[in-house]
Amino acid sequence: MSLYLALDTATALGSVAVGDAGRAVAEVTVGDRRHAAATLPAVQEGLRLGGAGFADLAGLVVADGPGSFTGLRIGFATVKGLWQARQGLSVETAPSLLAAAWRARGFAAGPVAAVYDALGGDVFAAVYRFDDARVETLLAPRLLAAGDLARVQPAPALAVGDGAAAYPD
């Protein structure tokens, strides 16, 4: 098997996924701000649900934000520890906003905005358009005032993330 283990600990809810190029075979959500205690058990559970073991992994993927500094450290430290145990694994990073938008792409007939609440009326946001073979970045990841996202053109067909919930307008 050539499976990859992906971790996202950048936001309040973390996640672990096991899969190959193009599909997840198992996903586990890490409870609200419990990353330090729950990430490794989630890795074990994701592998179990995916019918795989650590030896079946070809690589590791870790979300590189934007997000909580502590959450990012937990994700990177976990991946580093797993890599130390098996140094032949490839290690890649992926933007958290892109991962959130990609996950929602099937629910929109147009661009998808991923929006994380940065507090104080600001958001981390990016807008992507997906087709079968590629991703187009319409708004590169950035920090901006929540109201400024409403002026992005073309307008996103869908917005996902805790920032979208916090600032629905």
Side-chain angles (χ1 to χ4, degrees), residues 88-156:
L89 294 174
S90 68
V91 176
E92 303 292 333
T93 60
S96 298
L97 292 168
L98 176 57
W102 183 85
R103 185 83 169 114
R105 75 195 185 290
F107 298 99
V112 177
V115 189
Y116 293 163
D117 190 358
L119 306 177
D122 291 331
V123 294
F124 294 112
V127 180
Y128 303 96
R129 183 187 336 257
F130 300 92
D131 66 28
D132 293 338
R134 65 186 190 99
V135 176
E136 180 183 2
T137 302
L138 303 177
L139 177 70
R142 67 188 62 194
L143 177 68
L144 54 119
D148 291 346
L149 189 58
R151 294 188 278 284
V152 170
Q153 293 298 320

Side-chain angles (χ1 to χ4, degrees), residues 30 48 56 64 89:
V30 175
R48 186 191 69 74
D56 297 315
D64 64 2
L89 294 174

Side-chain angles (χ1 to χ4, degrees), residues 4-169:
Y4 290 82
L5 175 71
L7 289 86
D8 188 347
T9 57
T11 61
L13 289 177
S15 63
V16 172
V18 176
D20 58 23
R23 71 182 176 97
V25 296
E27 298 175 73
V28 178
T29 301
V30 175
D32 192 20
R33 304 220 186 266
R34 293 192 19 82
H35 304 349
T39 298
L40 278 177
V43 166
Q44 292 172 321
E45 182 65 2
L47 289 170
R48 186 191 69 74
L49 290 171
F54 192 58
D56 297 315
L57 295 178
L60 305 167
V61 180
V62 61
D64 64 2
S68 151
F69 177 70
T70 299
L72 290 168
R73 285 186 330 186
I74 292 166
F76 276 87
T78 302
V79 165
K80 183 178 179 182
L82 294 171
W83 181 85
Q84 285 289 114
R86 203 163 141 236
Q87 294 185 10
L89 294 174
S90 68
V91 176
E92 303 292 333
T93 60
S96 298
L97 292 168
L98 176 57
W102 183 85
R103 185 83 169 114
R105 75 195 185 290
F107 298 99
V112 177
V115 189
Y116 293 163
D117 190 358
L119 306 177
D122 291 331
V123 294
F124 294 112
V127 180
Y128 303 96
R129 183 187 336 257
F130 300 92
D131 66 28
D132 293 338
R134 65 186 190 99
V135 176
E136 180 183 2
T137 302
L138 303 177
L139 177 70
R142 67 188 62 194
L143 177 68
L144 54 119
D148 291 346
L149 189 58
R151 294 188 278 284
V152 170
Q153 293 298 320
L158 175 67
V160 297
D162 65 351
Y167 305 102
D169 294 338

